[in-house]
C-alpha cells in the first residue's frame, strides 16, 4: 500500500471515529486506539509533508499567531432573538405567530391550532458562522455586530468537533452553518484549575472562558482549550436543504455536524412550556451551561411568511431562565471559625435575588481567593449561584470600585476566642528535602479552648456518621457549650439529668433519651472514633484506612508521618496533620478522658497483613526521596546491603557495587546528614515496633476474608441500613461499589432491586438476598 492510500484510509477512519464520538455520542473505539491511529497518521504526514491537506485530522493544532483579525461580512446577517422571561411573554409570542400565519385562533369550542415548534437549549457561549465550500471548511467567523464579524478560521479549525470536511453527500456547494461555541462545565473547571496552577488568568464562568479562548490571536492557545461546537441553524446556502428547521438540522447531523441532543418537536405552546420546565429541572445536571431555551416555528415556509421585525425573527424566541449571576455590593467581610479552626472570610452582601433565591452571604474560601479576586469591602461583585452550591463571588467589577473601598485583612486574633491566628504550613518532600511553604488557610490556634471550634467539634463528634448520638442537635450543643456544661467531647459522658432537663427544648423524656443515647455510644469501632475526633483532612475513608491498617488507637496516635505515608491515599501533608493532632497535649488529654469516662473501642486488633507486607525496607529507602534513587534503585541497594545500618554505614565503594555512580554518591551524601540518619532509623524502629518484619517482604498479603473483592448493594434492606451493610462489608475487607460490572464478586439485592440485579443475573454473578447476606455475615462472626 502506498503512503498516500494509507493516509487517506487513516483520515477516513479517524473522521468516522470522531463522528461517532462527537455527533452520535456512541464512541466506537477506546481512546488508546484512536491515539494510535492518530500517531500513525502524524508520522506518515511527517514523512510526506507534500501529502498534508488542510482537512486532515492532524491539522487542529493552530497556526502562526496573528497580529489582528480580519473582518468578514455576513452574506446573511446574524440576528439575535427576542426574549421571553415569563409564561405570558411566551403566550404573546405564540399569539403573534398564529395571527401572523393567519391560522384559526382558539374560540369557545376549540383550542385553536397548535403550531409545530422546535425546541432547543439556549447554549451560553458565542455565536459562530462556519462556511463550507464543496464540503470543505473554508472560513469561520464571529457574529460581531451581526453584519460584520471577525475571521477566526484558524481558531475554529482547532475545535475537535467542528468537521473540517463534510461527510456523506448531497450537501449544498455553499453551506454556511451557524451555531454556538461553548465550554462544558467540566472543561471549564479543568481549565481554571490548570490556569490557577501556573498562576495564569482564571475565568469567571464557562462563557467567558469560551470567549477568551476563541478570540485568541494565537490559535495554538485556542487549540489547547476544551471548546465545543453545537449547530443550531444555517446562513447562506446554495440550495434548499429541507422544508423544516428540524429537518435541516437532521440533514446537517448526517453530514457530520454536531447538533443538540435535546432537540425536540412541540405541538403548540403548551408542549413548549413542558419542555422549558423539564429542561429547567435538569439544568444543573446538564454537562454545559444554558441560559434558557429557544423555540422556533418549525416550517421554513411559515418562517418566511412571518419574516423579521427589526433585528429579530418573528418566528423564534428565547425563553430565558432566571439569571444565575447578579451584581451586588460587598458590605463587609467577616471571618468565621470552623471545626478545624480554619478562619474563613465570608462576604456580607447587599441582599440580591439570584435565580429566585435571596443571597446575602458568599464564602470567599480563603485569603488566596481574596487575593485572586482582588476583592475589597465596598466593591461591586458578580455573584453566582449554581444548583445547590453555596453562592460564589466570581469577579470584581473594578470600574465600579468606590474611592473609600477598604482592603480585606485577616485578623491577627480569632474573632471568637482571641487566640492567635496562624497561617498553615504546607510540607512537601522532594529530592530528599522537606520543604515548608505557606498554605492558603489560616487557623485559630485556640483548638477546643475556642468556643467556635468546640461547638463544631462536638457537633461533628455526635453526628450520625461519627458517634451517632441522637437527640443532640446543633442548637442544644450551642446551649451546652454556652452554659459551660461541656468543654470537650469527653464532658458529654459526665452530663447528668439535672444538667440538661432545664435546657431549652428538653423535658424529662428527651433528657433521659439523650443520656441513654450517650451511654449507647460508648462502644464505637476504632474507625468511627478516629473519624469522630475531627482531625483536619481525615474523613471517613481515611479514618477507615487508619483503623484497618494500624489496628489500634495506640499505633495511630504515635505513628510517624513517614510511617503514615505507607498507607493507601495518605500523603505527607495529611500525615503531618494526623501526627500534629496527636502530638497536641490538649487533644491527648481529651482522648485520655474519653477512655477514662468509659469509652471502649471495638474492632481493635493487629497490624493489617497488607500493611506489614507493604512496609519493605526498599519501600522505606524509596520514601526517603534520595535524589535520583527511585523504587528500582532502592531495591538494588537492599538486595546488595540487606539492612538499613549497612546502607547507612556503606562507603562509596560498597554503594557503587549496587548502584550507578551518581546514585551511589547521592545515597552517601544523604546519609552523611545526621538528621537523615535519625529519620530513617526512627521510621524503621517504629515499623519494627508495630510488629513488621523486613523478612515479610516476599510474603503475599493475607488480609481479610473479602480482601480484593468488590461487592454491590442494591434494593432496600430491612434489617439494616445500606450504610451499616457497607460498614460491615468493609470491615471484612471488601470494597463496596455503586455499579455492577464483570469485576463484581457479589451483589446483595433487597426488595425493589432493579437494573443492577438484572445486570448481575445477566453476568451470572453471585447474588444474595437479605437473609442469605445476614447468614453470610454471621458465618464471618458478624452479628446483625
Ligand atoms: S437561533 C435568528 N438557537 O443566542 C436566530 N440561538 O440571542 C438566531 N443561541 O446569538 C439564533 N443557543 O448565540 C439560536 N439554539 C439556539 C441558540 C442560540 C444559543 C445564542 C446565539 C444567538 C443568541 C440569540
Amino acid at each position: 500500500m502506498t503512503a498516500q492510500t494509507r493516509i487517506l484510509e487513516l483520515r477516513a477512519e479517524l473522521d468516522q471515529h470522531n463522528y461517532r464520538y462527537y455527533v452520535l455520542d456512541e464512541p466506537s473505539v477506546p481512546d488508546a486506539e484512536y491515539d494510535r491511529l492518530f500517531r500513525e497518521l502524524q508520522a506518515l504526514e511527517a514523512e510526506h509533508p507534500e501529502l498534508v491537506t488542510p482537512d486532515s485530522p492532524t491539522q487542529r493544532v493552530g497556526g502562526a499567531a496573528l497580529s489582528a483579525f480580519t473582518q468578514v461580512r455576513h452574506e446573511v446577517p446574524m440576528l439575535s432573538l427576542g426574549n421571553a422571561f415569563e409564561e405570558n411573554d411566551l403566550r404573546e409570542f405564540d399569539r403573534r405567530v398564529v395571527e401572523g400565519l393567519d391560522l384559526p385562533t382558539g374560540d369557545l369550542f376549540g383550542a385553536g391550532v397548535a403550531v409545530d415548534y422546535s425546541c432547543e437549549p439556549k447554549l451560553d457561549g458565542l455565536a459562530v458562522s462556519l462556511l463550507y465550500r464543496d464540503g470543505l471548511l473554508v472560513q469561520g467567523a464571529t457574529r460581531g455586530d451581526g453584519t460584520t464579524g471577525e475571521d477566526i478560521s484558524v481558531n475554529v479549525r482547532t475545535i475537535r468537533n467542528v468537521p473540517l470536511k463534510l461527510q456523506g453527500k448531497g450537501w449544498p456547494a455553499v453551506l454556511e452553518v451557524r451555531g454556538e461555541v461553548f465550554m462544558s462545565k467540566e472543561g471549564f473547571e479543568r481549565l481554571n484549575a490548570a490556569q490557577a496552577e501556573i498562576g495564569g488568568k482564571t475565568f469567571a464562568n464557562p462563557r467567558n472562558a469560551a470567549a477568551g479562548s476563541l478570540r485568541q490571536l494565537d490559535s495554538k492557545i485556542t487549540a489547547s482549550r476544551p471548546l465545543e461546537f453545537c449547530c443550531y441553524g444555517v446562513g447562506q446556502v446554495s440550495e434548499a436543504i429541507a422544508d423544516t428547521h428540524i429537518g435541516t438540522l437532521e440533514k446537517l447531523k448526517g453530514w457530520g455536524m454536531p447538533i443538540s441532543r435535546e432537540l425536540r418537536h412541540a405541538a403548540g405552546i403548551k408542549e413548549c412550556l413542558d419542555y422549558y420546565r423539564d429542561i429547567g429541572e435538569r439544568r444543573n445536571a446538564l454537562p454545559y451551561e444554558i441560559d434558557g431555551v429557544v423555540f422556533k416555528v418549525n416550517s421554513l415556509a411559515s418562517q418566511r411568511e412571518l419574516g423579521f421585525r427589526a433585528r429579530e425573527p418573528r418566528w423564534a424566541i428565547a425563553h430565558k431562565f432566571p439569571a444565575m449571576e447578579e451584581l451586588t455590593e460587598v458590605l463587609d467581610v467577616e471571618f468565621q471559625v470552623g471545626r478545624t479552626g480554619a478562619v474563613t472570610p465570608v462576604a456580607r452582601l447587599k441582599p440580591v435575588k439570584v435565580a429566585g433565591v435571596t443571597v446575602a452571604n458568599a464564602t470567599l474560601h480563603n485569603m488566596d481567593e481574596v487575593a485572586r479576586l482582588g476583592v475589597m469591602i465596598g466593591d461591586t461583585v458578580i455573584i453566582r449561584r449554581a444548583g445547590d452550591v453555596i453562592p460564589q463571588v466570581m469577579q470584581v467589577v473594578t470600574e465600579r470600585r468606590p474611592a473609600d473601598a477598604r482592603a480585606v485583612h485577616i485578623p491577627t486574633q480569632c474573632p471568637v476566642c482571641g487566640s492567635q491566628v496562624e497561617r498553615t504550613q504546607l510540607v512537601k518532600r522532594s529530592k530528599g528535602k522537606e520543604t515548608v511553604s505557606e498554605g492558603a488557610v489560616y487557623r485559630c490556634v485556640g483548638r477546643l479552648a475556642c468556643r467556635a471550634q468546640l461547638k463544631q467539634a462536638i457537633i461533628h463528634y455526635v453526628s450520625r456518621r461519627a458517634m451517632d448520638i441522637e437527640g443532640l442537635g446543633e442548637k442544644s450543643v450551642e446551649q451546652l457549650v454556652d452554659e459551660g456544661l461541656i468543654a470537650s467531647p469527653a464532658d458529654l459522658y459526665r452530663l447528668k439529668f439535672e444538667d440538661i432537663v432545664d435546657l431549652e427544648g428538653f423535658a424529662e423524656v428527651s433528657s433521659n433519651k439523650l443520656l441513654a443515647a450517650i451511654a449507647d455510644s460508648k462502644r464505637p469501632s476504632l474507625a468511627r472514633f478516629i473519624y469522630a475526633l475531627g482531625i483536619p483532612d481525615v474523613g471517613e475513608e481515611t479514618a477507615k484506612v487508619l483503623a484497618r491498617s494500624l489496628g489500634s488507637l495506640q499505633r495511630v496516635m504515635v505513628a510517624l508521618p513517614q510511617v503514615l505515608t505507607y498507607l493507601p491515599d495518605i500523603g505527607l501533608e495529611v500525615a503531618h496533620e494526623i501526627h500534629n493532632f496527636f502530638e497536641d497535649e490538649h487533644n491527648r488529654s481529651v482522648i485520655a478522658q474519653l477512655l477514662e469516662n468509659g469509652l471502649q473501642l471495638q474492632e481493635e486488633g493487629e497490624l493489617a497483613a497488607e500493611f506489614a507486607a507493604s512496609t519493605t525496607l526498599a519501600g522505606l529507602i524509596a520514601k526517603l526521596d534520595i535524589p535520583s534513587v527511585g523504587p528500582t534503585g532502592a531495591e538494588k541497594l537492599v538486595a546488595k546491603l540487606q539492612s538499613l545500618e549497612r546502607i547507612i554505614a556503606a562507603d562509596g565503594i560498597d554503594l557503587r557495587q549496587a548502584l550507578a555512580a551518581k546514585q551511589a554518591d547521592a545515597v552517601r551524601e544523604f546519609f552523611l546528614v545526621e538528621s537523615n540518619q535519625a529519620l530513617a532509623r526512627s521510621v524503621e524502629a517504629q515499623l519494627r515496633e508495630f510488629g513488621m518484619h523486613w523478612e515479610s517482604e516476599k510474603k503475599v498479603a493475607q488480609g481479610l476474608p473479602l480482601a480484593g473483592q468488590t461487592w454491590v448493594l442494591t434494593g432496600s434492606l430491612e434489617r439494616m441500613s445500606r450504610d451499616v451493610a457497607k460498614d460491615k462489608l468493609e470491615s471484612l475487607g471488601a470494597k463496596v461499589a455503586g455499579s455492577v460490572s464483570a469485576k463484581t464478586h457479589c451483589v446483595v439485592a433487597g426488595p425493589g432491586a432493579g437494573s443492577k440485579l438484572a445486570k448481575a443475573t445477566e453476568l451470572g454473578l453471585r447474588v444474595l438476598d437479605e437473609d442469605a447476606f445476614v447468614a453470610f455475615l454471621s458465618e464471618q462472626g458478624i452479628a446483625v
Side-chain angles (χ1 to χ4, degrees):
M1 191 187 314
T2 64
Q4 166 133 40
T5 324
R6 182 62 185 152
I7 284 177
L8 291 178
E9 211 175 77
L10 284 165
R11 285 182 194 159
E13 194 173 348
L14 287 164
D15 282 344
Q16 189 58 28
H17 292 318
N18 265 333
Y19 175 65
R20 296 277 299 261
Y21 187 89
Y22 289 115
V23 181
L24 302 183
D25 196 29
E26 291 166 357
S28 43
V29 286
D31 290 356
E33 172 64 6
Y34 182 92
D35 293 343
R36 198 189 58 72
L37 296 169
F38 192 87
R39 280 195 303 270
E40 187 185 341
L41 177 60
Q42 267 180 331
L44 276 175
E45 287 182 346
E47 263 173 56
H48 303 275
E50 72 285 0
L51 297 178
V52 178
T53 57
D55 62 342
S56 171
T58 57
Q59 302 303 297
R60 292 190 188 271
V61 286
L66 305 175
S67 54
F69 293 115
T70 52
Q71 303 226 306
V72 174
R73 227 187 128 69
H74 299 301
E75 289 297 323
V76 177
M78 289 181 81
L79 304 172
S80 60
L81 293 169
N83 290 322
F85 293 98
E86 280 159 29
E87 206 173 303
N88 256 344
D89 302 338
L90 201 63
R91 293 191 191 280
E92 271 299 301
F93 162 76
D94 181 52
R95 203 184 44 74
R96 289 195 302 270
V97 169
V98 170
E99 271 180 21
L101 293 175
D102 218 2
L103 299 171
T105 46
D107 54 29
L108 276 180
F109 305 105
V113 171
V115 178
D116 180 20
Y117 289 108
S118 77
C119 316
E120 298 159 50
K122 185 168 188 297
L123 292 166
D124 208 3
L126 304 80
V128 159
S129 138
L130 303 176
L131 185 62
Y132 289 84
R133 281 190 197 279
D134 297 320
L136 291 183
L137 175 63
V138 294
Q139 188 181 73
T142 60
R143 174 167 178 267
D145 63 5
T147 316
T148 318
E150 285 174 328
D151 186 334
I152 48 160
S153 303
V154 202
N155 305 50
V156 294
R157 301 178 62 85
T158 69
I159 302 173
R160 287 325 162 259
N161 71 343
V162 165
L164 299 176
K165 180 170 82 186
L166 297 180
Q167 51 172 41
K169 44 185 179 313
W171 18 263
V174 178
L175 170 61
E176 183 195 349
V177 171
R178 289 183 178 172
E180 200 84 347
V181 167
F182 64 100
M183 200 176 281
S184 70
K185 293 175 188 170
E186 193 235 79
F188 163 71
E189 298 291 341
R190 232 184 322 126
L191 171 61
N192 259 3
Q195 291 289 101
E197 185 111 311
I198 57 166
K201 176 180 163 36
T202 53
F203 297 94
N205 54 39
R207 209 203 86 83
N208 288 3
S213 301
L214 189 61
R215 291 195 66 258
Q216 280 285 345
L217 289 167
D218 182 355
S219 49
K220 292 216 164 54
I221 298 181
T222 313
S224 73
R225 303 280 171 85
L227 293 173
E228 288 170 58
F229 176 73
C230 177
C231 159
Y232 54 64
V234 293
Q236 55 165 326
V237 284
S238 53
E239 52 196 281
I241 298 175
D243 295 337
T244 60
H245 173 64
I246 294 182
T248 307
L249 292 186
E250 271 161 3
K251 277 264 178 74
L252 289 169
K253 180 177 177 183
W255 297 328
M257 205 49 73
I259 65 169
S260 173
R261 262 187 280 154
E262 305 289 343
L263 176 67
R264 299 283 183 281
H265 270 281
I269 212 65
K270 190 188 154 299
E271 289 190 16
C272 289
L273 285 164
D274 291 344
Y275 180 87
Y276 175 82
R277 270 188 289 270
D278 170 66
I279 215 159
E281 278 165 20
R282 293 189 291 119
R283 183 181 183 191
N284 291 325
L286 290 175
Y288 41 79
E289 297 216 326
I290 60 176
D291 55 352
V293 296
V294 181
F295 300 120
K296 297 172 189 162
V297 171
N298 192 28
S299 152
L300 298 185
S302 300
Q303 286 191 2
R304 279 189 291 274
E305 208 178 320
L306 287 161
F308 299 87
R309 179 185 62 190
R311 305 197 55 74
E312 292 167 13
R314 286 206 180 85
W315 43 265
I317 193 159
H319 192 187
K320 295 294 239 356
F321 290 130
M324 297 205 293
E325 291 187 349
E326 286 298 341
L327 287 180
T328 189
E329 270 167 53
V330 177
L331 302 177
D332 200 1
V333 172
E334 288 174 10
F335 291 85
Q336 268 176 4
V337 185
R339 166 165 67 84
T340 59
V343 178
T344 307
V346 178
R348 302 282 174 230
L349 306 168
K350 187 163 159 197
V352 60
K353 262 205 163 168
V354 191
V357 173
T358 304
V359 171
N361 304 306
T363 172
L364 290 166
H365 301 288
N366 55 49
M367 292 309 284
D368 282 5
E369 178 71 358
V370 170
R372 186 184 74 80
L373 290 164
V375 62
M376 294 174 78
I377 298 163
D379 267 341
T380 296
V381 291
I382 302 177
I383 59 163
R384 177 186 185 78
R385 196 182 73 88
D388 303 329
V389 295
I390 345 169
Q392 306 271 327
V393 175
M394 304 309 293
Q395 217 174 24
V396 174
V397 186
T398 19
E399 307 85 72
R400 295 218 201 158
R401 173 165 292 162
D404 60 352
R406 284 180 294 132
V408 179
H409 294 294
I410 184 91
T412 50
Q413 269 151 3
C414 171
V416 179
C417 73
S419 300
Q420 193 114 335
V421 170
E422 281 180 358
R423 189 164 192 170
T424 49
Q425 312 276 296
L426 294 180
V427 197
K428 278 222 176 76
R429 203 181 162 84
S430 92
K431 303 242 155 66
K433 282 200 195 74
E434 237 176 54
T435 50
V436 180
S437 60
E438 310 245 86
V441 177
Y442 286 79
R443 277 205 193 130
C444 157
V445 300
R447 304 248 176 168
L448 295 189
C450 171
R451 266 205 280 167
Q453 289 180 65
L454 175 61
K455 285 176 186 172
Q456 293 303 321
I458 293 176
I459 290 169
H460 173 76
Y461 184 83
V462 302
S463 66
R464 199 173 59 83
R465 311 281 308 165
M467 300 297 276
D468 194 17
I469 300 181
E470 237 180 278
L472 203 53
E474 292 191 15
K475 285 266 163 325
S476 326
V477 171
E478 291 196 356
Q479 277 189 70
L480 288 169
V481 170
D482 289 338
E483 302 277 324
L485 289 165
I486 45 177
S488 90
D491 293 341
L492 286 170
Y493 299 93
R494 291 201 204 108
L495 282 176
K496 291 196 229 29
F497 182 80
E498 313 83 85
D499 295 335
I500 25 187
V501 74
D502 292 335
L503 295 178
E504 226 178 282
F506 277 86
E508 201 167 310
V509 179
S510 46
S511 304
N512 281 325
K513 267 201 182 154
L514 176 58
L515 290 176
I518 292 174
D520 268 358
S521 74
K522 283 188 175 175
R523 296 164 63 84
S525 70
L526 175 59
R528 254 182 201 273
F529 180 70
I530 294 173
Y531 172 64
L533 289 175
I535 306 165
D537 288 340
V538 176
E540 267 183 289
E541 285 311 315
T542 309
K544 282 181 189 162
V545 167
L546 287 166
R548 208 183 298 149
S549 308
L550 297 179
S552 79
L553 179 62
Q554 185 50 33
R555 280 193 282 263
V556 175
M557 286 181 70
V558 298
L560 292 166
Q562 288 73 17
V563 171
L564 291 169
T565 62
Y566 272 100
L567 307 186
D569 298 329
I570 296 188
L572 199 60
E573 251 172 65
V574 179
H576 274 283
E577 287 286 7
I578 298 170
H579 185 70
N580 292 344
F581 182 90
F582 290 111
E583 286 276 276
D584 182 87
E585 263 322 306
H586 188 264
N587 290 339
R588 293 167 84 94
S589 100
V590 170
I591 293 170
Q593 284 171 47
L594 281 165
L595 298 174
E596 266 167 39
N597 291 352
L599 214 69
Q600 285 176 5
L601 300 178
Q602 307 298 300
E603 297 167 27
E604 279 200 305
E606 289 309 300
L607 200 75
E610 294 103 313
F611 177 63
S614 73
T615 52
T616 61
L617 178 55
L620 186 153
I621 304 286
K623 269 186 199 300
L624 296 173
D625 255 325
I626 305 171
S628 78
V629 180
T632 330
E635 299 261 357
K636 285 190 192 152
L637 201 55
V638 174
K640 185 85 202 149
L641 294 163
Q642 306 282 336
S643 82
L644 179 63
E645 284 315 317
R646 289 175 58 186
I647 295 171
I648 290 177
D651 60 21
I653 303 165
D654 289 342
L655 292 168
R656 279 172 199 235
Q657 286 181 344
L659 298 172
K662 187 173 150 213
Q663 292 174 307
D665 293 347
V667 174
R668 180 103 190 92
E669 225 169 89
F670 181 86
F671 283 117
L672 281 177
V673 180
E674 283 285 334
S675 60
N676 287 340
Q677 286 186 22
L679 174 71
R681 286 199 179 105
S682 57
V683 173
E684 189 194 36
Q686 177 160 79
L687 291 169
R688 283 192 193 281
E689 194 183 302
F690 282 5
M692 197 281 320
H693 308 287
W694 294 142
E695 297 74 52
S696 64
E697 302 229 294
K698 298 266 168 333
K699 273 194 211 145
V700 193
Q702 294 286 306
L704 295 157
L706 302 185
Q709 295 197 8
T710 304
W711 286 52
V712 172
L713 297 163
T714 179
S716 56
L717 298 177
E718 277 155 20
R719 283 194 260 170
M720 66 188 106
S721 70
R722 281 229 217 157
D723 282 342
V724 169
K726 183 168 181 250
D727 282 349
K728 295 198 186 287
L729 284 169
E730 285 175 349
S731 75
L732 292 170
K735 201 177 129 212
V736 178
S739 63
V740 173
S741 77
K743 296 209 180 91
T744 310
H745 288 83
C746 185
V747 174
V748 178
S755 60
K756 288 181 198 168
L757 175 58
K759 183 146 187 214
T761 322
E762 188 189 308
L763 291 169
L765 303 177
R766 181 174 166 213
V767 176
L768 300 181
D769 64 13
E770 186 163 8
D771 287 339
F773 178 52
V774 171
F776 170 80
L777 289 177
S778 71
E779 270 168 37
Q780 302 295 329
I782 294 189
V784 175

